[in-house]
Amino acid sequence: MHTSPQDVTVVALLADPYAPTDIARRVARVLATRLADRSGQGRRFDVRVVSEPFTAGTEDPHTLMRRIKDRGSTEDWDIIVALTDLPLHSHGRRIVADLSREHGLALLSLPSLGGLRLQSRARRAVEEAVLGLAGPQDTGVGEAPQGQRHPGPFSGRLTPIRPGRIGEEETADLRYVVSGSRGYLRVLLGMVRANRPWRLVPGLSKALAAALATGAVATVNSTVWTLAEALSAPRLVIATVGSVALMIGWLIVDAELWHRPAEGSPEARKKARLYNASTVLTVGIGVLVCYAGLLLINVVWAVFILNDQVFASTTREPLDATDYWTLSWFVASTATVGGALGSGLESDEAIRAAAYSKREQERLHMLQDDHDVQRMT
């Protein structure tokens, strides 16, 4: 750590581009004041945000910590907190944060903070990391006897986070991980949030055009009226589930979104399952948003276009509010199937751009390049 003049502690928030940088900038607005209030004794902090792709080409925590250390050696920073939206793993555990009190470094994986209240959780995590690194070094986890470890700066604030195992060769001397089903769900939701699944709606313009066209035609089709009248609620639910599942499966297979591990190690397979689960959830949420939109549009279209007398002459039932809803529901499922076929007109790059965050797209490009190199050799 460097020594800053006038008792000012310089804190650098080293953030990957895109979402981590946005979060770091929002955290920086209040961080200096909050740190000064919590640390007491008139201590002052100077917070700086540096946006750099420090995780480019690797997801190894040890390598990342060395990069952060080397980056800080040329600056006047006292403490560095690095933020990334990539999920980090080590020894089969999902990492929340790695800290090196000796060098004043912290590495924070944002997906491990979960998908809800990410901004406030990130702010608290950064505060805890800085205060843990700025405080006395003789009260840390690593120096306590085995089985009598100090709870550490994150304990009790970000449950289910707890101290984790560190290799002897690693730069970090303090690690926090999430484990168990709650920890897995937390990381998974964090990854889905980073992908921002709602972007799938405008990203699939051709598929949505095909779905809307299918819905518009189906709504005025007398055969569809008869089928909708004959369908029970359970069958309508089955039609919904089937059409949504078809759309999800089609998008994943057609755009090659399924991740296959490059190696057969248990940790690589675990990571692949996590990435694939986040892909299914991301695409699933996006498709459900599309489905809800189609349902709403179909209801409006049906109210505007259907004629009571024509409908009654075909179905032998008077047209009422239930019929509008049932028909629109069935047509939404039919239109979703049409949208799945229409998604074949989209380029793979367009679907990946709609389904993944920028950092995840870069990671996939890197994996594809490595795969192409291996295939050529």
Side-chain angles (χ1 to χ4, degrees):
M1 291 176 61
H2 300 82
T3 302
S4 301
Q6 301 177 350
D7 296 326
V8 176
T9 302
V10 179
V11 178
L13 301 184
L14 179 63
D16 266 331
Y18 312 115
T21 296
D22 293 339
I23 290 174
R25 286 172 178 160
R26 287 195 288 266
V27 168
R29 294 171 190 166
V30 298
L31 185 60
T33 302
R34 292 183 61 87
L35 290 173
D37 292 342
R38 292 187 60 185
S39 61
Q41 300 177 347
R43 192 166 190 175
R44 292 187 297 159
F45 293 84
D46 177 18
V47 179
R48 306 173 186 177
V49 177
V50 180
S51 180
E52 291 181 5
F54 70 93
T55 61
T58 184
E59 298 177 42
D60 176 53
H62 178 47
T63 302
L64 295 177
M65 288 292 281
R66 283 195 287 106
R67 284 186 182 179
I68 299 166
K69 177 184 173 183
D70 293 341
R71 180 66 178 85
S73 64
T74 60
E75 305 286 348
D76 63 342
W77 303 335
D78 299 306
I79 293 173
I80 307 174
V81 180
L83 293 83
T84 180
D85 56 357
L86 291 179
L88 302 177
H89 301 76
S90 181
H91 304 290
R93 301 288 186 180
R94 291 170 285 275
I95 296 175
V96 178
D98 271 0
L99 288 85
S100 172
R101 292 160 297 174
E102 178 184 356
H103 304 289
L105 312 176
L107 171 63
L108 180 63
S109 175
L110 294 174
S112 299
L113 301 179
L116 301 175
R117 306 192 314 276
L118 178 60
Q119 185 64 45
S120 61
R121 285 179 171 177
R123 175 182 52 76
R124 289 201 306 268
V126 171
E127 286 179 22
E128 299 291 351
V130 173
L131 293 173
L133 294 172
Q137 296 188 17
D138 58 353
T139 59
V141 171
E143 299 171 6
Q146 184 71 23
Q148 299 180 356
R149 292 187 171 184
H150 189 274
F154 293 93
S155 184
R157 297 294 302 277
L158 300 170
T159 305
I161 297 174
R162 61 182 184 80
R165 173 187 171 190
I166 305 174
E168 293 182 358
E169 75 288 351
E170 297 194 58
T171 304
D173 51 38
L174 184 57
R175 168 169 292 160
Y176 291 93
V177 299
V178 289
S179 58
S181 57
R182 288 183 62 197
Y184 179 86
L185 182 61
R186 191 186 189 105
V187 175
L188 180 60
L189 292 178
M191 294 173 67
V192 172
R193 188 190 188 284
N195 288 335
R196 294 178 292 178
W198 51 88
R199 298 182 313 156
L200 197 65
V201 180
L204 296 176
S205 57
K206 294 184 178 66
L208 286 175
L212 290 172
T214 302
V217 172
T219 302
V220 298
N221 189 299
S222 59
T223 303
V224 175
W225 299 349
T226 305
L227 286 173
E229 281 290 309
L231 289 175
S232 61
R235 290 196 175 193
L236 287 169
V237 171
I238 292 173
T240 299
V241 173
S243 62
V244 169
L246 176 63
M247 183 72 157
I248 294 171
W250 186 281
L251 288 173
I252 291 175
V253 173
D254 186 55
E256 299 180 353
L257 302 182
W258 198 254
H259 176 70
R260 294 176 177 83
E263 52 186 85
S265 66
E267 186 161 343
R269 288 196 295 269
K270 282 184 180 180
K271 290 171 64 176
R273 285 195 293 268
L274 183 62
Y275 278 117
N276 288 331
S278 72
T279 296
V280 172
L281 275 179
T282 298
V283 176
I285 292 172
V287 170
L288 285 174
V289 172
C290 291
Y291 188 94
L294 288 172
L295 180 58
L296 179 61
I297 292 172
N298 288 333
V299 169
V300 174
W301 176 243
V303 170
F304 175 76
I305 203 69
L306 291 184
N307 180 276
D308 294 0
Q309 294 180 347
V310 175
F311 186 89
S313 66
T314 302
T315 63
R316 298 181 182 180
E317 294 287 342
L319 183 62
D320 56 23
T322 303
D323 294 318
Y324 283 117
W325 172 253
T326 302
L327 176 62
S328 300
W329 189 357
F330 178 58
V331 169
S333 299
T334 305
T336 300
V337 175
L341 299 176
S343 67
L345 301 175
E346 304 278 4
S347 68
D348 292 350
E349 287 299 319
I351 296 177
R352 292 192 189 103
Y356 288 135
S357 67
K358 292 285 188 181
R359 296 288 298 124
E360 182 66 5
Q361 292 176 56
E362 291 174 0
R363 188 188 70 83
L364 290 173
H365 280 306
M366 182 187 69
L367 290 175
Q368 183 63 44
D369 291 342
D370 291 344
H371 177 71
D372 293 341
V373 170
Q374 291 176 3
R375 189 169 56 183
M376 292 175 62
T377 56

